[in-house]
Amino acid sequence: MTGRIDHVVVIGAGAMGSQIAMVCALAGHRVTLTDADPAALERATAQLRQRTDAMVAKGRRSAQEVDAAWNRWATAAVPPADADLVIEAIVEKLDAKRALFAELDARCGPDTVFASNSSSFVPSSMASATGRADRFVNLHFFNPALVMTCVEVVRGPDTADDVAAEAVEFVTGLGKVPVVLEREIPGFVANRLLGAVRDEALALYEGGYADIEAIDTAARTALGYPMGPFELMDLTGIDIGYLTKKARFAETGDPADQPSDTVAALVADGHLGRKSGRGFYLYDQAGQRLGKAL
Ligand SMILES: NC(=O)c1ccc[n+]([C@@H]2O[C@H](COP(=O)([O-])OP(=O)(O)OC[C@H]3O[C@@H](n4cnc5c(N)ncnc54)[C@H](O)[C@@H]3O)[C@@H](O)[C@H]2O)c1
């Protein structure tokens, strides 16, 4: 491991936090994964054991590398105060994140860097709950964190240059690709690009220019996307995008941030995509696509 950051404390052992913690352990950091719910810690550890066993079985990592990572690994109910870096990956609620960071600010040493994995809250909205806005960044990992290489490093208005540089060095040391945002903006880069494509796809459909299958086909066969925007919305859940847009609209008041009529109607009818058997497309019990629903 290079750099000043040795001990990483990851808070929240859900889908994101558990894998982020293992990424750090595999890269040579001492890691403590914590969660308010002891069952979440047990679940995360069991799932990660399966994943690291599979890495060895598939020859992606040696047994020694994986054993060494587990030897650097600990779990705890309460975050230890001696972290060099805290990565927060708890529930996506601003009040909960602010309360957690305020508590950590009182307990951790002045050098500890705070990072949030939030998908929607900008650094300043959380850093203002602490007395160390200069030592606060967002480190936005993508799901699944063990696989996806991009990590957005989002600077708040008060983030110090050396902290931003340290964050980039840390992310690079994890074997990930840092994408730096010099200024904070909700949605950051990747999800804004995704949102722009999704909005245009919906506008083309609602304008009657092309049907959903044609638009998805163009995205796959002309742009090389692994799946089209309607297929992706069905996969991730139409309600997720709807709620993200609602939250953005509440923040900006910009009518362009309102969910489209098509999405609002699907959510109102409970047609949320693959998980409900119907969204833009129809699915059978096994999740196989049967055809267009719109
Ligand atoms: N799921 C994704 O695809 C994704 C992608 C990128 C970023 N994110 C962000 O990562 C964060 C976590 O998302 P997730 O999908 O892993 O959530 P999750 O619901 O799977 O896990 C959250 C965990 O946090 C724990 N928790 C809640 N409040 C806590 C507290 N005050 N102290 C300690 N533990 C607490 C819960 O017990 C739970 O185990 C969110 O901010 C989300 O926006 C999610």
Side-chain angles (χ1 to χ4, degrees):
M1 195 212 62
T2 57
R4 191 194 62 85
I5 294 167
D6 172 23
H7 188 196
V8 180
V9 172
V10 180
I11 308 180
M16 294 305 294
S18 57
Q19 293 208 7
I20 292 169
M22 185 47 73
V23 166
C24 296
L26 286 166
H29 296 280
R30 274 193 304 131
V31 172
T32 307
L33 177 64
T34 80
D35 199 291
D37 176 7
L41 285 173
E42 276 174 36
R43 230 178 4 252
T45 306
Q47 283 168 359
L48 288 170
R49 277 276 174 208
Q50 281 181 355
R51 287 208 164 240
T52 54
D53 285 352
M55 287 173 194
V56 175
K58 289 178 186 161
R60 298 209 179 112
R61 298 268 182 177
S62 71
Q64 288 85 340
E65 273 179 287
V66 163
D67 285 348
W70 282 108
N71 285 335
R72 290 187 283 267
W73 178 270
T75 57
V78 177
D82 67 338
D84 299 311
L85 170 69
V86 172
I87 303 177
E88 169 277 313
I90 68 166
V91 60
E92 188 71 348
K93 288 190 180 150
L94 186 57
D95 287 354
K97 290 184 190 288
R98 285 178 61 85
L100 175 66
F101 280 120
E103 185 197 314
L104 290 167
D105 192 39
R107 288 202 298 115
C108 293
D111 290 340
T112 304
V113 172
F114 289 173
S116 175
N117 183 51
S118 174
S119 292
S120 50
F121 303 122
V122 292
S124 64
S125 68
M126 294 169 281
S128 57
T130 76
R132 62 179 83 199
D134 57 328
R135 304 194 68 71
F136 198 110
V137 289
N138 277 23
L139 292 180
H140 185 226
F141 291 76
F142 289 80
N143 194 5
L146 277 162
V147 177
M148 302 297 282
T149 51
C150 181
V151 179
E152 290 173 326
V153 178
V154 188
R155 296 184 65 151
D158 299 314
T159 307
D161 289 345
D162 64 321
V163 171
E166 202 173 8
V168 167
E169 188 188 354
F170 170 74
V171 168
T172 307
L174 298 180
K176 302 290 189 191
V177 179
V179 169
V180 177
L181 276 85
E182 301 293 350
R183 288 174 64 202
E184 62 183 27
I185 183 168
F188 318 134
V189 171
N191 286 339
R192 289 187 77 88
L193 292 176
L194 193 64
V197 170
R198 184 193 52 206
D199 289 352
E200 186 59 29
L202 283 159
L204 288 167
Y205 165 71
E206 288 181 352
Y209 295 104
D211 74 9
I212 59 168
E213 271 181 324
I215 296 166
D216 278 343
T217 302
R220 276 190 275 99
T221 59
L223 305 178
Y225 290 6
M227 65 178 80
F230 296 105
E231 293 163 332
L232 184 60
M233 281 187 273
D234 269 6
L235 181 68
T236 53
I238 296 170
D239 51 328
I240 305 290
Y242 173 83
L243 291 172
T244 306
K245 281 229 140 199
K246 278 277 183 204
R248 178 104 30 102
F249 176 69
E251 215 175 301
T252 65
D254 180 349
D257 287 334
Q258 282 275 37
S260 74
D261 291 345
T262 308
V263 164
L266 285 169
V267 172
D269 291 341
H271 299 323
L272 307 180
R274 228 180 253 208
K275 63 186 172 188
S276 69
R278 181 183 178 138
F280 292 101
Y281 296 93
L282 291 168
Y283 301 88
D284 68 14
Q285 298 277 21
Q288 288 299 316
R289 196 157 98 197
L290 300 172
K292 278 194 307 182
L294 292 183

